[in-house]
């Protein structure tokens, strides 16, 4: 059995607990939190919840630690820190900062002789795989990534900071005509506005200037000004009843040409439709933890991404079974 | 530069020549054939065409040999044979015989200290990857593979053997309602008949009994009796004008559930739409040849499949570039 630990028990931590419970070759042995452990109630009975300061005592009792903190402030320090003690897996998803995060984690993990796999989830993660395979196979081509329909936490937060807004949820929605154009192999050049629309649901303070809120949101630079945005005002009850879901998804396309005259078009499409973004993300993390365990057992060390992992390492089946049943 | 060789110059051999010409880090150095080399004209000038018996002389001049023979009779003997001299890549696609082929090739390649990657293309190949990743991430779920629209060589050949048939082409076509049901996450149980239809274009001999030909095809066991099949009679001219294309494609779905009560559905869809089946297949073979070269340079040996290859090894970009641009 591969012994897993969790650091951080929010949506991701709960998802890891769930995914680990479905894997016959893994067991969750401890959960670490910054909160008072007495206040944290796991879904599963009998698994200890401990203060994060106690983690060093578990150095030899955990094979892979799954880091379930956030990318903004937790993981940039946690992953390099805990890679000194454990094989670790994280879901760091700030694309622009991945090279820097990689370097920091690589140093710690190499020094400690551990394997640290960063940025595992669906984007980065499975979408990255689709891009890398697509580019390697169709070097003469174009990449398209669409996200949604799903909630963007960053955009929701930006709306909540607008004066007069009590609560907000922002959905990113791919534009159907853009998807159709890409899928046809037409290799369209698409502007930001042509690829996605944004839809915002706002609970406003009583007496707030709704016209002004709408205008402020729609013209917000970086977040909304390059998009067609629709703003809906709803009640707090409607927000709770209709906008608490965690569904998400998206599309990665690689379109390209072959032939001496480029006469043959090809379209590779990878699509995810997810009822629960955190539960799917953590399903990836747990499969990657299995791979991290195997790479560590082979004597590998340092920072890795899903691009460095032989696909078979993610599976509980052995090579012969995979070749027989899934190849 | 990675030096490639080709054995067999049919549709696949020509595709490898084309794909190699697009890769900046690879060069095609020789083509080997069973035919009289004087009768084989490459698209590219200046590359020697040699008799297959001369292949041993090229042992130290070729880094990876790409085997472009057929799965029925060529590859079962060629891949184990040439893996004694070269790192090799093949597109062996008889799923049921992969375990046996793997064992034969593994023995040769291990003895010779070479890397041999078998069954690289899109199915087996990219579709296998979609199945393995999907199964590892959503262990509680279902697999669906659909092929087409595209020509099945085996079914076309079977029709050609019917009395009174001069020529035939058989298209395998996925059923739209089945695709829609799978994509919805409904996890339908689908019979063979519900997943694909078959459409056959036949050029009949003059005076042949067309009703009998149609009935014979539609009731052919294994090939057609479990499907809804449409048979069209056309002229030899129509066959040539409208049915010479090599388009193909298909879909792999992994659908699954997460949640303590299985309350969250997820759908992973991988779709290929290909104008040229052989040119796309060989684009995969050439990317895999790059990986085979790297694995061999690391000291690996034996038989591998695409499931054993870190995705980054297929790309001409280095790890840092991949993390920056595609992760």
């Amino acid at each position: 059995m591969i012994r897993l630990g969790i650091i951080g028990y929010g949506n991701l931590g709960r998802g890891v607990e769930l995914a680990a419970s479905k894997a016959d070759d893994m067991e969750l042995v401890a959960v670490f939190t910054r909160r008072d452990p007495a206040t944290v109630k796991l879904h599963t009975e009998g698994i200890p919840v401990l203060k994060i300061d106690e983690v060093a005592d578990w150095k030899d009792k955990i094979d892979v630690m799954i880091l379930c903190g956030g990318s903004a402030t937790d993981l940039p320090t946690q992953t390099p820190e805990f890679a000194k003690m454990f094989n670790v897996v994280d879901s760091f998803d700030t694309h622009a900062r991945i090279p820097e995060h990689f370097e920091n984690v690589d140093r710690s993990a190499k020094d400690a002789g551990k394997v640290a796999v960063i940025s595992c989830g669906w984007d980065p993660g499975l979408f990255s795989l689709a891009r890398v395979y697509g580019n390697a196979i169709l070097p003469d081509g174009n990449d398209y990534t669409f996200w949604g329909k799903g909630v963007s936490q960053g955009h929701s937060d930006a709306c909540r900071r607008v004066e007069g807004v009590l609560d907000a949820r922002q959905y990113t929605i791919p534009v159907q005509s853009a998807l159709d154009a890409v899928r046809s192999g037409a290799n369209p050049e698409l502007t930001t506005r042509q690829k996605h629309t944004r839809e915002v649901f706002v609970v406003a303070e009583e007496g707030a200037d709704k016209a002004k809120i709408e205008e402020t949101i729609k013209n917000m630079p970086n977040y909304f000004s390059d998009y067609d945005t629709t703003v809906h005002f709803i009640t707090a009850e409607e927000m709770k009843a209709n906008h608490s879901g965690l569904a998400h998804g998206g599309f990665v396309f690689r379109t390209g040409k072959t032939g001496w005259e480029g006469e043959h078009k090809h379209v590779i499409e990878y699509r995810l439709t997810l009822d629960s973004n955190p539960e799917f993300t953590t399903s990836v993390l747990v499969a990657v933890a299995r791979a991290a365990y195997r790479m560590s057992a082979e004597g590998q060390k340092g920072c890795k991404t899903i691009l460095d992992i032989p696909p078979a390492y993610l599976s509980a089946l052995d090579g012969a079974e995979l070749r027989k049943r899934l190849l």
Side-chain angles (χ1 to χ4, degrees), chain A:
Chain A
M1 294 291 269
I2 303 171
R3 299 165 301 172
L4 301 182
I6 289 172
I7 294 184
Y9 194 70
N11 275 344
L12 289 180
R14 282 190 290 272
V16 169
E17 179 188 14
L18 170 67
S21 78
K22 306 287 182 186
D24 294 335
D25 58 342
M26 298 197 248
E27 57 177 336
L28 176 61
V29 297
V31 173
F32 300 89
T33 177
R34 276 182 301 222
R35 291 179 273 168
D36 173 2
T39 67
V40 175
K41 172 93 181 74
L42 303 194
H43 188 279
T44 324
E45 302 275 314
I47 295 170
V49 181
L50 302 149
K51 200 70 191 151
I52 199 167
D53 327 324
E54 299 177 59
V55 76
D57 301 339
W58 288 74
K59 248 172 90 70
D60 303 317
K61 297 177 207 157
I62 286 172
D63 296 309
V64 184
M65 187 69 89
I66 303 185
L67 306 179
C68 297
S71 295
T73 56
D74 300 328
L75 299 175
T77 57
Q78 285 186 348
T79 314
E81 182 186 342
F82 296 119
K84 292 175 186 163
M85 288 179 246
F86 300 97
N87 298 313
V88 297
V89 174
D90 84 17
S91 62
F92 185 77
D93 66 359
T94 312
H95 281 83
R97 295 187 60 194
I98 287 174
E100 171 195 347
H101 188 55
F102 183 93
E103 293 305 327
N104 293 338
V105 174
D106 194 46
R107 223 170 298 126
S108 291
K110 277 204 179 119
D111 285 350
K114 299 292 181 188
V115 168
V117 192
I118 62 162
S119 301
C120 306
W122 55 275
D123 194 5
L126 301 183
F127 274 16
S128 321
L129 287 171
R131 289 187 284 259
V132 168
Y133 282 119
N135 275 263
I137 289 156
L138 294 175
D140 182 10
N142 292 291
D143 294 298
Y144 299 90
T145 301
F146 293 86
W147 297 273
K149 181 182 177 176
V151 169
S152 160
Q153 212 48 63
H155 287 78
S156 300
D157 289 344
C159 294
R160 286 190 201 103
R161 289 191 294 264
V162 171
E163 200 187 322
V165 172
L166 286 176
D167 196 6
R169 296 273 278 177
Q170 192 273 182
Y171 294 92
T172 305
I173 305 167
V175 174
Q176 188 60 46
S177 59
L179 290 174
D180 292 343
V182 171
R183 201 175 275 138
S184 76
N187 282 314
E189 286 204 29
L190 297 167
T191 62
T192 299
R193 192 177 299 275
Q194 288 169 323
K195 287 182 71 188
H196 296 93
T197 54
R198 299 194 177 280
E199 190 169 18
V200 188
F201 293 83
V202 172
V203 181
E205 286 172 12
E206 201 164 323
D209 181 343
K210 290 183 179 173
K212 195 175 162 201
I213 289 173
E214 179 167 346
E215 203 199 307
T216 306
I217 289 174
K218 286 185 172 177
N219 294 308
M220 203 183 291
N222 303 319
Y223 286 91
F224 291 97
S225 59
D226 294 336
Y227 297 84
D228 290 332
T229 302
T230 314
V231 178
H232 307 276
F233 290 92
I234 59 173
T235 64
E237 292 69 37
E238 286 171 318
M239 180 67 83
K240 198 173 167 202
N242 304 327
H243 302 284
S244 301
L246 297 165
H248 217 311
F251 304 77
V252 173
F253 292 89
R254 177 69 178 177
T255 63
K257 294 179 295 186
T258 63
W260 293 104
E261 310 297 331
E263 67 273 27
H264 294 133
K265 293 183 301 185
H266 306 281
V267 179
I268 305 174
E269 175 175 348
Y270 185 77
R271 176 179 186 174
L272 296 175
T273 311
L274 313 174
D275 272 359
S276 167
N277 183 357
E279 286 181 7
F280 188 81
T281 298
T282 49
S283 296
V284 180
L285 290 173
V286 167
V288 170
R290 179 183 289 126
Y293 173 79
R294 290 174 177 173
M295 290 190 287
S296 178
E298 282 178 0
Q300 293 196 48
K301 56 190 178 176
C303 191
K304 313 282 176 190
T305 74
I306 202 163
L307 306 178
D308 304 309
I309 302 176
Y313 282 31
L314 273 67
S315 171
L317 300 176
D318 70 14
E321 279 295 305
L322 286 176
R323 288 190 292 276
K324 196 172 154 192
R325 290 165 50 176
L326 296 173
L327 189 68

